[in-house]
Amino acid sequence: MTTNTARPAVAAYTFDRSKQLFEQAMQVIPAGGQATRLPPYEDYPTYFQRAKGCRVWDVDGNACGSAAGAINHQTRQGRTQRLPRMV
Amino acid sequence: MWWTAKSSGVYAGSCEPIVAWDGTPQHLKDTLDTDRDGFAAVILCPSTIKPFEPQTFKDIMDVAQSHGTLVIFDEVKTGFRDALGGIQEVMGVTPDITTVSKAMGNGYPIAAVCGRHEVMDVMPTNPSAGTFSVEAIGLVAAIETLRELEAKNAPAHLRAMGQRLIDGFNQIAQSHGIAVEAFAEPIPQMPNLRFTDPNEKTANKVKDMFFREVIRRGLFMIDWHMHFINFSHQAGDIDQALEVCDYVLGQMKRTL
């Protein structure tokens, strides 16, 4: 998993795993579980895996600085921008 | 209402008891005058009030009170960001009822309806019980979050970081000559972007290129909503975000 953060990524990110999961999810969940970004963009991450502070990591391992608050960030392992004390 | 009314499957008639107004005191007065005894309450999201200044809020409260309606502030979005007491504290007014959520839970599910005694005392006569009402995780999160927000004066930090992002972005956009502008919507803690090319088609093209490219370079932004500064954003994070914007706008300049 890449660890670089919001510096301009040298090699542009790809979102293959996100796309794959989205296609799977579409088979069983209306809108693939995406309530906030429709239609999904092929070159946009759809699923985030983990978060710490204002950083999020998507399922393709892309690290992003985030300015989106909690919108679009429902990670399985915890909430974004979480306080250490809570988790 | 603004969201529900647009949703599929919502019966148009179900929105009939609600009359929309444009967020100005004059339009509120004109609307309430159409049926002086017919309105129970005025509900508003403080971020949509224009002009966004104390006098407007005072005028709105005066109009509502002179028409005998309650005033409800929906501070779900704005609460705790500009001041712990919300926009109403900053503007120096006190509505009859306030709803809060989002920032008080730090990502955990929590919401609260607050109000003065005379209004809230109606609640026991309208029990609103629910299977998950006893869920406590959101309450614990809110207590911890509010403690942190207060101890660290989070609203001041959020404001400073938001302003840093807005000022920095506008400087960069100008230097590249790209028709995009960052602005406070309406507070710096909630920054947004406006694509200003007079040709709508060009503006949409610039917008599409920008949002697709920033994510590919490590900055997650959304194209349909304001953004939210949070307490984990430090000056270095904002500056890194600006580096990405600088890079992307520079690339776009060469492409457009």
Side-chain angles (χ1 to χ4, degrees):
Chain A
M1 185 173 287
T2 177
T3 54
N4 63 320
T5 51
R7 304 269 173 202
V10 178
Y13 291 164
T14 57
F15 306 98
D16 299 340
R17 181 71 180 136
S18 257
K19 193 181 168 200
Q20 192 184 15
L21 285 176
F22 179 73
E23 283 165 3
Q24 282 178 25
M26 281 295 282
Q27 304 300 314
V28 288
I29 309 172
Q34 296 296 304
T36 54
R37 185 157 185 88
L38 293 171
Y41 289 60
E42 285 187 3
D43 49 0
Y44 231 86
T46 319
Y47 299 102
F48 292 100
Q49 197 163 40
R50 66 190 179 98
K52 188 176 182 186
C54 58
R55 311 281 182 220
V56 291
W57 286 261
D58 70 8
V59 290
D60 285 284
N62 301 318
C64 307
S66 172
I71 294 174
N72 264 18
H73 297 169
Q74 287 85 32
T75 68
R76 288 185 62 194
Q77 295 175 10
R79 276 73 174 180
T80 58
Q81 291 93 38
R82 59 195 178 181
L83 294 175
R85 194 171 173 178
M86 273 302 300
V87 293
Chain B
M1 184 267 181
W2 63 274
W3 191 260
T4 308
K6 288 192 284 189
S7 300
S8 305
V10 175
Y11 164 54
S14 65
C15 295
E16 272 174 19
I18 300 167
V19 179
W21 61 294
D22 71 3
T24 63
Q26 186 59 48
H27 189 235
L28 178 64
K29 182 178 184 309
D30 294 345
T31 305
L32 295 179
D33 278 344
T34 60
D35 187 356
R36 286 197 68 90
D37 300 318
F39 291 99
V42 174
I43 184 165
L44 59 91
C45 181
S47 60
T48 63
I49 297 305
K50 300 176 195 77
F52 187 70
E53 54 193 43
Q55 191 58 49
T56 318
F57 282 82
K58 287 184 177 66
D59 291 345
I60 285 170
M61 296 299 292
D62 287 347
V63 169
Q65 276 159 12
S66 69
H67 286 74
T69 67
L70 296 177
V71 179
I72 304 169
F73 274 25
D74 169 1
E75 293 234 33
V76 166
K77 202 183 285 176
T78 55
F80 313 101
R81 295 190 198 276
D82 206 19
L84 293 182
I87 297 294
Q88 57 193 264
E89 180 187 321
V90 178
M91 296 297 171
V93 294
T94 305
D96 300 288
I97 298 174
T98 303
T99 58
V100 286
S101 182
K102 300 203 189 212
M104 72 188 286
N106 198 41
Y108 285 81
I110 181 75
V113 179
C114 322
R116 59 186 171 85
H117 278 290
E118 295 89 331
V119 178
M120 299 304 286
D121 283 350
V122 175
M123 284 298 286
T125 64
N126 297 286
S128 56
T131 304
F132 301 115
S133 299
V134 294
E135 172 57 52
I137 186 71
L139 295 172
V140 176
I143 291 167
E144 291 295 326
T145 302
L146 295 178
R147 205 174 271 158
E148 292 274 322
L149 295 178
E150 187 171 21
K152 295 177 178 170
N153 192 13
H157 176 79
L158 300 181
R159 172 170 281 270
M161 292 301 104
Q163 200 59 55
R164 188 183 186 96
L165 183 65
I166 290 169
D167 293 345
F169 185 91
N170 286 337
Q171 210 172 15
I172 290 166
Q174 273 177 21
S175 75
H176 290 294
I178 304 277
V180 56
E181 176 189 11
F183 65 101
E185 192 181 10
I187 52 176
Q189 293 89 330
M190 291 156 44
N192 206 345
L193 297 181
R194 187 188 284 134
F195 291 81
T196 53
D197 196 291
N199 183 321
E200 195 183 342
K201 207 173 162 185
T202 309
N204 285 337
K205 185 182 169 193
V206 173
K207 180 180 177 180
D208 193 58
M209 278 178 78
F210 177 78
F211 283 109
R212 284 169 186 262
E213 200 54 32
V214 287
I215 184 63
R216 279 156 47 83
R217 300 293 166 181
L219 176 62
F220 185 83
M221 297 181 78
I222 41 179
D223 65 348
W224 60 278
H225 202 284
M226 64 184 64
H227 294 78
F228 294 102
I229 301 296
N230 64 67
F231 196 61
S232 66
H233 284 121
Q234 299 299 315
D237 302 313
I238 301 296
D239 294 346
Q240 285 188 15
L242 291 172
E243 275 183 47
V244 176
C245 294
D246 188 27
Y247 176 84
V248 168
L249 290 174
Q251 293 287 100
M252 286 171 62
K253 184 68 189 167
R254 281 187 280 280
T255 312
L256 285 168

